[in-house]
Amino acid sequence: MINFIHRCRRFHRLSKRPLLKICVILSNLRTILFCVPCVFLIAFIASPTPAHAIRLTNVRHLFDLTHSFKQPSDVAVSKEGLIYVVDGVNNAVKVFNQNGKFVFSFGAKGQAEGEFKFPLGIGIDSAGRVYIADSGNHRVQIFNSTGVFLSQIKITSKNGRPADPTDVSIDESAGRIYIVDNDNHCIHAYDRATLQKIESFGAPGEGDREFRYPFLMALDAERYLYIVDVINTRVQILSPDGLYVASVGKWGVEKGEFFRPKGVAIDRNGKIYVSDSYMGVIQVFEPVGDFYSAIGDTDKGAVRKFVTPAGIFIDNKDRLYVVEMFAEKVSVYQIEKDME
């Protein structure tokens, strides 16, 4: 239990989310904390008959990325195949080739151009430009593919409260840059050419297009936004204009439910992958939001367990990249056929 509380506090210090202090409050509910993972595994694995068995999307482990990471948070892959990992506590971005070999890194702790203060999220455009959500410095920094600083967006909030950018996505068709503002519970849209703000949408709350500490997000082929709404335990889907479309998941410990969602990725067929950092699993949903499967372990024929999965990414080779924050690594898998 002490180790659990310590992990929660570490996560809280990194992300600066006041509501994540619930981990400490829950420390007195020992039975619940130890039983929740058991209930989850029973719901996913111990089905009495094949008709009720959960579908598994199996993945084959390829390799792990490790390079003295300290609580990495997100990962993205460029069209050229370079793998960029946000190494938050080390205030750096580390870059690897497709075979997992370290190539170079950029960034250091600070407030100057090219320096970071607890970076969290990443986006890459088709030209290879790298966008980093520099959370502690209240900005998004833009670099070329080799890590040379190009420009930055200093984010302003609508209520005067300092912005807390945790992720960034680029809509090249519309010429927009979307930025998650965690502490202000909203999404900012900036013009990609001028880097000027176009609009902000969202507000604190539990309703449609309302958020409680949104964290990471993804953009699909139709330019719809998938935003992980952490404390509301769901993924909200918004149109390119910021209008509410649907929600995926709800609080719970059974299939199709989340305990603490963190990362989201969309595959080539429009299926939605969502990581749950507390339960240590990744679930897959149909494009319409219905539960489809869980990421499985080929050897065991069971749900695959991860160590605090956060950011996830799927590349054009159907490789799944999983940031395992407290394991200090990024695990790389090949997505294979589903198994009933």
Side-chain angles (χ1 to χ4, degrees), residues 90-93 105-110 114-116 143 147:
N90 282 325
N91 296 291
V93 176
S105 67
F106 59 93
K109 184 177 181 178
E115 296 179 339
F116 302 115
F143 302 84

Side-chain angles (χ1 to χ4, degrees), residues 39-309:
V39 172
F40 186 83
L41 288 177
I42 290 172
F44 267 72
I45 299 173
S47 301
T49 66
H52 295 91
I54 185 172
R55 178 190 287 115
L56 298 177
T57 294
N58 282 322
V59 294
R60 176 169 49 87
H61 182 257
L62 299 177
F63 54 83
D64 292 331
L65 303 177
T66 57
H67 198 273
S68 301
F69 291 131
K70 227 174 186 182
Q71 297 182 20
S73 55
D74 203 6
V75 59
V77 181
S78 70
K79 284 192 173 181
E80 290 71 31
L82 288 175
I83 307 165
Y84 294 76
V85 181
V86 180
D87 191 4
V89 176
N90 282 325
N91 296 291
V93 176
K94 296 179 178 178
V95 186
F96 303 80
N97 66 21
Q98 277 287 287
N99 297 318
K101 182 179 179 181
F102 176 76
V103 181
F104 66 92
S105 67
F106 59 93
K109 184 177 181 178
Q111 300 178 350
E113 295 176 352
E115 296 179 339
F116 302 115
K117 186 177 180 182
F118 297 119
L120 289 171
I122 182 172
I124 303 176
D125 67 20
S126 62
R129 286 182 288 263
V130 181
Y131 300 70
I132 302 295
D134 188 7
S135 176
N137 285 323
H138 319 295
R139 64 186 177 182
V140 165
Q141 295 197 69
I142 306 171
F143 302 84
N144 70 10
S145 60
T146 61
V148 176
F149 174 84
L150 298 176
S151 56
Q152 63 181 327
I153 300 172
K154 293 183 178 179
I155 303 164
T156 57
S157 63
K158 54 187 178 184
N159 58 9
R161 185 177 184 179
D164 181 21
T166 55
D167 203 12
V168 54
S169 289
I170 304 93
D171 181 349
E172 297 186 51
S173 297
R176 287 188 167 203
I177 301 170
Y178 294 102
I179 301 168
V180 176
D181 189 342
N182 182 275
D183 281 352
N184 288 295
H185 315 284
C186 66
I187 310 299
H188 303 298
Y190 280 77
D191 185 275
R192 185 165 169 255
T194 65
L195 303 184
Q196 298 300 307
K197 183 184 284 189
I198 301 171
E199 62 176 330
S200 297
F201 45 85
E206 301 177 24
D208 297 345
R209 213 176 75 149
E210 294 180 340
F211 304 97
R212 289 196 295 163
Y213 297 96
F215 190 47
L216 298 178
M217 67 177 166
L219 199 67
D220 72 8
E222 301 298 322
R223 300 165 37 227
Y224 282 76
L225 285 166
Y226 296 72
I227 303 158
V228 179
D229 190 4
V230 176
I231 303 301
N232 285 328
T233 57
R234 62 186 177 182
V235 173
Q236 289 202 63
I237 305 173
L238 303 184
S239 73
D241 298 320
L243 301 178
Y244 175 81
V245 175
S247 291
V248 176
K250 61 181 180 179
W251 190 90
V253 296
E254 297 188 6
K255 62 183 183 182
E257 299 174 342
F258 305 125
F259 197 75
R260 192 62 85 238
K262 279 296 188 298
V264 60
I266 315 298
D267 71 13
R268 67 175 67 208
N269 298 312
K271 287 190 172 65
I272 308 159
Y273 293 61
V274 183
S275 64
D276 191 316
S277 63
Y278 282 13
M279 303 314 303
V281 299
I282 296 174
Q283 299 186 64
V284 185
F285 296 81
E286 297 277 10
V288 293
D290 296 332
F291 174 81
Y292 177 76
S293 67
I295 294 299
D297 188 318
T298 306
D299 296 330
K300 297 179 180 179
V303 175
R304 183 177 289 273
K305 296 289 289 182
F306 302 91
V307 180
T308 324

